[in-house]
Amino acid sequence: MWIDVLIAVIKSLLVIVLALNLAGLLGWVERKGSALIQDRIGANRANIFGFAGAGLVNTLMADPLKFIAKEDVIPAGVDRVLHTLAPCVTLFPALVAFAAIPFGDVLEVGGRVITLQAVPLSVGILYVLAMLSLGVYGVVLAGWASNNRFSLLGGIRGSAQMISYELAMGLALVAAVVSYGTLDLQEMVRAQGRLLGGWLPAWGILYQPVGFLIFLWAGMAESKRVPFDLPEGESELISGYFTEYSGIKYLMFFMTDFVEIGVVAGLITTLFFGGWQVPYLMRDGFHFPGGTMVALPQLVVVLLQMASYTVKLALFCWLQVLIRWSMPRYRYDQVMRLGWKGLLPIGLLNVLVTGAVVLALQG
Amino acid sequence: MSPALFLVLAACLIVGALGVVLLSSPVRSALSLVVTLFFMAVVFLLLDAQLVAALQVVVYAGAIMVLFLFVIMLLNLQADPPAMARLGVRVTAAFGASLFLLAVVRFLTRGGGTMTDPRGMATPLPEGFGSTQGLAELLFTRFLFAFEITSILLVVAIIGAVVLAKKKLT
């Protein structure tokens, strides 16, 4: 009993530490990535209280320390409770959404089978979708509770955008669910361990190339970053819904962006790129197509799986940073047209075709 | 579900529901309703209805309440002073509430059960209860007619909304 609780706590800690560190690291990757793309050197030195010796560690620490040390200003005439609540309500759903994403297969220790997933849920994908849909409250609340017209406009833009793109995202997920026949994210990843024709790993991208593109685009719209950063469009709205935030509350909005990038990257990895699967790696070692087999101890297999998940996650985070710094911002009517007249019909068609193919293969 | 956990959840639910009625600021009241719906989803989760719990959050907390909040914010409703209702309204409300309480007590104690151990709660759940497959099977066999009628109703409502909105524009 106590061992079970301990295991659950360790797994949850592992996931939350991954999510928080990812946010911190991505802040730095974003600065360095933008510098790389714009042919600059970028953040390469930071002097914290007269100490500049630790190199990269200093640069990583500088941003959060700066935000924490700044004054937290609450503007006059606002609902103070809701103003403080808004950043918490934004960050919380993004962090807990990670709980259902599996980061490895199973670990067997002393007759105990541990699923490497913080919360094994049979409706995992719906849970992640539910948490992402709760994220909209923070945006609406921050916009409203700031007592500032720019904030309110940003909040309204943000919520309209998130609600619109949730539909396209949902449809991409429906198509994936139809082709896997389950809502359980762990089962989906296991299904991607099969080999097509004895050599090609059956990753989701082969079944759902259109679904992947819709999901990537809708996911970027959900995380409200360039080219979808209209809710905070600084040339029009100062900083949109978080104009009136400073200090650690601003940091929380900043972190939410990066955690959401991580959730989108994690879902893309899980649904379309085999999650923790390493090609040809089974529970007892590598089984190569030619019939060669390399046996591996269980711990090595599990570590390889976790490494595979982490590498893929990092790759798709980087892809989103790359897109963010290579695209101009959409106009608002373009965002709405793309969502409702572009991604939504394509998504519906994708579900229809997927359903027809699955039925034809069964019958 | 353990009784202690249920009591904590029930307390949260009741506090949330009271907040909806008692808070004077419309935004806070709507947010209180979101909290209530969220705890309701947790209760569903502990009753082995994972799918219903997820749908509760996706549909009610994640979509419908956002629109509520939207309307409240766009109309910029201010906090009202608590209005004293007329005597007739108060008597009707009290009557309705007691009737509802009576119905709940009657439901819980029917067939020889007691308030703390209502009949039927202790029997083991059938195989696949609350799972997506189990629910889908019921929905597409026993409740197929109700399911289809509901979808027609929703389509009619959407068409009606579009027609009404268009009439105002021209």
Side-chain angles (χ1 to χ4, degrees):
Chain A
M1 168 68 195
W2 287 111
I3 297 264
D4 288 328
V5 173
L6 191 70
I7 290 169
V9 168
I10 290 174
K11 283 197 294 189
S12 311
L13 271 179
L14 204 65
V15 170
I16 199 93
V17 167
L18 173 86
L20 288 171
N21 275 315
L22 194 69
L25 276 171
L26 276 174
W28 175 76
V29 167
E30 174 110 325
R31 289 185 194 290
K32 270 298 200 189
S34 68
L36 194 74
I37 289 166
Q38 296 169 346
D39 200 16
R40 298 183 280 119
I41 294 173
N44 67 341
R45 66 204 69 190
N47 188 326
I48 303 175
F49 303 122
F51 174 71
L56 181 59
V57 181
N58 257 26
T59 355
L60 282 175
M61 300 268 289
D63 251 340
L65 277 180
K66 182 189 76 178
F67 282 119
I68 291 167
K70 278 190 173 178
E71 186 190 354
D72 174 30
V73 182
I74 298 182
V78 302
D79 188 328
R80 294 177 74 92
V81 176
L82 295 185
H83 186 265
T84 309
L85 195 64
C88 310
V89 176
T90 319
L91 185 57
F92 173 77
L95 280 178
V96 292
F98 258 109
I101 300 177
F103 52 88
D105 196 4
V106 290
L107 186 63
E108 281 173 48
V109 184
R112 202 179 277 277
V113 181
I114 305 169
T115 312
L116 294 178
Q117 185 184 17
V119 187
L121 267 179
S122 69
V123 289
I125 198 158
L126 280 178
Y127 164 82
V128 178
L129 200 64
M131 288 306 128
L132 286 179
S133 74
L134 284 182
V136 70
Y137 282 108
V139 177
V140 177
L141 270 184
W144 185 80
S146 290
N147 194 23
N148 178 327
R149 285 181 177 75
F150 291 115
S151 297
L152 185 62
L153 279 173
I156 288 171
R157 274 189 183 183
S159 42
Q161 177 178 318
M162 286 173 85
I163 293 173
S164 306
Y165 279 82
E166 225 162 67
L167 291 172
M169 188 186 234
L171 284 174
L173 292 180
V174 166
V177 168
V178 169
S179 53
Y180 292 122
T182 174
L183 293 170
D184 189 337
L185 289 167
Q186 186 71 281
E187 287 301 314
M188 287 184 186
V189 178
R190 290 208 179 110
Q192 293 177 69
R194 288 183 299 113
L195 295 175
L196 293 176
W199 61 277
L200 188 64
W203 286 2
I205 182 83
L206 297 175
Y207 299 98
Q208 289 294 333
V210 181
F212 162 65
L213 289 176
I214 297 174
F215 188 84
L216 176 65
W217 228 236
M220 291 196 57
E222 286 283 309
S223 61
K224 303 178 291 300
R225 287 158 52 81
V226 180
F228 294 101
D229 69 333
L230 291 114
E232 56 198 81
E234 65 283 316
S235 53
E236 305 146 28
L237 297 179
I238 309 175
S239 207
Y241 58 93
F242 49 78
T243 302
E244 297 287 358
Y245 283 89
S246 56
I248 195 160
K249 289 180 196 157
Y250 180 83
L251 178 66
M252 286 168 86
F253 282 114
F254 201 62
M255 267 174 71
T256 309
D257 271 16
F258 292 124
V259 177
E260 275 177 353
I261 292 176
V263 173
V264 170
L267 275 181
I268 288 176
T269 305
T270 305
L271 290 168
F272 304 109
F273 289 89
W276 40 258
Q277 296 278 1
V278 183
Y280 314 124
L281 182 67
M282 307 290 159
R283 274 186 199 178
D284 54 348
F286 281 103
H287 291 258
F288 290 110
T292 355
M293 194 216 153
V294 182
L296 289 172
Q298 196 212 357
L299 194 65
V300 176
V301 171
V302 166
L303 285 178
L304 273 175
Q305 288 171 344
M306 284 165 77
S308 159
Y309 169 70
T310 315
V311 167
K312 289 174 193 168
L313 184 78
L315 216 65
F316 284 105
C317 287
W318 170 244
L319 179 69
Q320 289 180 69
V321 171
L322 199 68
I323 293 175
R324 186 230 188 279
W325 287 99
S326 330
M327 298 275 292
R329 181 185 303 148
Y330 283 119
R331 235 177 26 233
Y332 198 71
D333 61 315
Q334 290 172 328
V335 170
M336 283 297 142
R337 205 178 320 140
L338 177 68
W340 288 100
K341 295 184 176 173
L343 294 185
L344 191 67
I346 298 173
L348 278 171
L349 211 65
N350 188 33
V351 171
L352 205 70
V353 171
T354 309
V357 170
V358 167
L359 268 185
L361 286 180
Q362 276 176 356
Chain B
M1 176 161 55
S2 86
L5 207 54
F6 174 74
L7 282 180
V8 173
L9 276 173
C12 293
L13 254 173
I14 290 171
V15 169
L18 282 177
V20 179
V21 186
L22 297 178
L23 287 174
S24 58
S25 152
V27 173
R28 287 190 181 188
S29 182
L31 284 174
S32 197
L33 187 52
V34 177
V35 172
T36 313
L37 292 170
F38 194 79
F39 279 112
M40 194 97 91
V42 181
V43 172
F44 279 134
L45 201 62
L46 292 172
L47 286 171
D48 285 318
Q50 292 195 344
L51 182 68
V52 180
L55 290 180
Q56 169 97 358
V57 177
V58 173
V59 177
Y60 285 98
I64 292 179
M65 283 315 296
V66 176
L67 293 181
F68 268 58
L69 214 58
F70 229 66
V71 172
I72 292 173
M73 286 175 181
L74 286 180
L75 294 178
N76 201 14
L77 295 178
Q78 297 304 319
D80 300 331
M84 293 310 278
R86 277 178 294 125
L87 188 68
V89 177
R90 283 206 248 169
V91 169
T92 321
F95 182 68
S98 0
L99 212 64
F100 182 69
L101 190 68
L102 200 71
V104 171
V105 173
R106 186 78 196 87
F107 173 75
L108 286 177
T109 54
R110 91 209 124 110
T114 61
M115 283 289 280
T116 48
D117 182 29
R119 217 184 65 169
M121 301 278 181
T123 50
L125 295 170
E127 187 67 28
F129 177 86
S131 72
T132 316
Q133 283 83 356
L135 200 83
E137 211 174 301
L138 274 181
L139 212 55
F140 287 104
T141 53
R142 212 173 125 198
F143 298 107
L144 182 65
F145 183 69
F147 180 70
E148 293 296 340
I149 285 288
T150 313
S151 62
I152 292 174
L153 190 71
L154 286 176
V155 171
V156 170
I158 292 169
I159 294 173
V162 170
V163 167
L164 284 176
K166 281 275 177 197
K167 206 177 268 175
K168 267 184 190 159
L169 280 177
T170 47

